[in-house]
Amino acid sequence: MKLKALLFIFTTVSMLYAGCLTDKERNKLIIDGDPKDFEYIPNYIQCDHKKSNLEKFVCNHSDYLLMFHYLSQVNVYKYEDIYKHEVNHHSFNKKSMAYWSIDFKSEPINANHLCFDLKKFTDDEGSDTFPYKLVTVKKHSDYVLQENKHGAVLTDRDGYKVYMGKNCDVEDSKKQKGTWYKEDDQYIIKLGKEKMVFDFQNLNLENYKCVQK
């Protein structure tokens, strides 16, 4: 019984406190080309000197380094698509993405804020492949949505999480419990006295019994 209880606790914690990237998200972050290619777009974050607090943090966390490299590509592609003008791929991001080093200059780096902002700004930049899923929860704020084999997890910028399980169950990172269901095109979460509502297409949860016919 003790072993089963420990396994249950471990699984619950893993679901609620998932990392910044899931395997599915990570696999979508494709870096184009080779550094020797003329068209190659280098990462805004360079790890050969690591002078700023942001560089020190990102260079020690491979997922964040990959996310910055992907955003560096998206930033260039969007500019060239809008203005129909090719920029210097090896220098453009140094100036156009400098605000990241300014916004995250303080130590320690808030990993929750950085994770959320990287996903939001990559999505806002108009990436065609959409590696991340973001939703706006009515009367609340924007959340990153991540799916896994247990269900789905909503995470806001401060790291607050809401887990939606396959059995219509809900639990948040404050240990509050509730239920969820889908009605028409909306997902509705009842958590304590709160109600969270958001729209999303093609979520794996659509196949669960929580969908209202």
Side-chain angles (χ1 to χ4, degrees):
M1 284 295 292
K2 289 184 178 179
L3 179 59
K4 288 184 178 179
L6 287 172
L7 287 173
F8 174 77
I9 292 171
F10 176 78
T11 301
T12 301
V13 170
S14 297
M15 291 187 294
L16 286 173
Y17 299 97
C20 185
L21 288 180
T22 63
D23 289 339
K24 188 175 182 179
E25 289 173 324
R26 194 178 294 109
N27 290 337
K28 287 187 175 182
L29 300 181
I30 300 172
I31 305 304
D32 295 328
D34 183 274
K36 297 178 182 179
D37 297 337
F38 177 77
E39 295 293 329
Y40 181 76
I41 300 172
N43 197 334
Y44 167 71
I45 298 293
Q46 294 294 305
C47 296
D48 54 350
H49 49 78
K50 294 187 289 187
K51 293 181 179 179
S52 70
N53 287 327
L54 179 62
E55 289 169 334
K56 292 175 183 177
F57 176 86
V58 173
C59 291
N60 287 324
H61 296 82
S62 59
D63 278 353
Y64 288 91
L65 187 63
L66 177 61
M67 294 168 76
F68 259 110
H69 203 167
Y70 188 83
L71 178 57
S72 298
Q73 289 186 154
V74 172
N75 191 51
V76 168
Y77 292 153
K78 183 183 179 183
Y79 182 91
E80 292 184 340
D81 183 61
I82 291 175
Y83 295 101
K84 310 301 178 187
H85 169 68
E86 187 173 11
V87 298
N88 186 314
H89 292 175
H90 290 266
S91 63
F92 178 76
N93 284 331
K94 187 175 182 180
K95 290 184 178 180
S96 67
M97 293 179 63
Y99 60 89
W100 284 97
S101 295
I102 297 173
D103 290 348
F104 289 92
K105 65 181 179 180
S106 299
E107 191 178 4
I109 298 294
N110 188 313
N112 290 322
H113 290 179
L114 182 59
C115 177
F116 184 91
D117 289 353
L118 279 167
K119 292 184 176 184
K120 180 172 172 57
F121 279 86
T122 300
D123 185 68
D124 286 351
E125 291 290 355
S127 170
D128 292 334
T129 54
F130 296 106
Y132 317 120
K133 297 176 179 178
L134 286 92
V135 298
T136 298
V137 177
K138 297 177 182 178
K139 296 183 179 180
H140 285 260
S141 59
D142 291 335
Y143 283 75
V144 168
L145 187 153
Q146 294 174 302
E147 296 178 79
N148 57 41
K149 62 182 180 180
H150 306 289
V153 181
L154 296 171
T155 308
D156 72 6
R157 190 173 186 266
D158 291 323
Y160 169 69
K161 296 179 184 291
V162 178
Y163 163 67
M164 301 168 64
K166 291 183 177 181
N167 296 316
C168 315
D169 54 313
V170 172
E171 184 175 350
D172 70 0
S173 50
K174 297 177 181 179
K175 301 302 181 183
Q176 299 179 101
K177 298 182 185 296
T179 60
W180 72 268
Y181 62 92
K182 185 184 179 190
E183 189 172 57
D184 297 326
D185 293 326
Q186 293 186 322
Y187 288 90
I188 300 166
I189 297 173
K190 292 184 177 180
L191 192 61
K193 296 181 180 179
E194 291 285 322
K195 180 182 283 190
M196 304 171 67
V197 182
F198 67 92
D199 303 317
F200 198 82
Q201 297 287 327
N202 301 321
L203 189 60
N204 287 339
L205 295 173
E206 291 175 351
N207 298 321
Y208 302 159
K209 62 181 183 180
C210 316
V211 177
Q212 303 295 309
K213 301 296 184 181

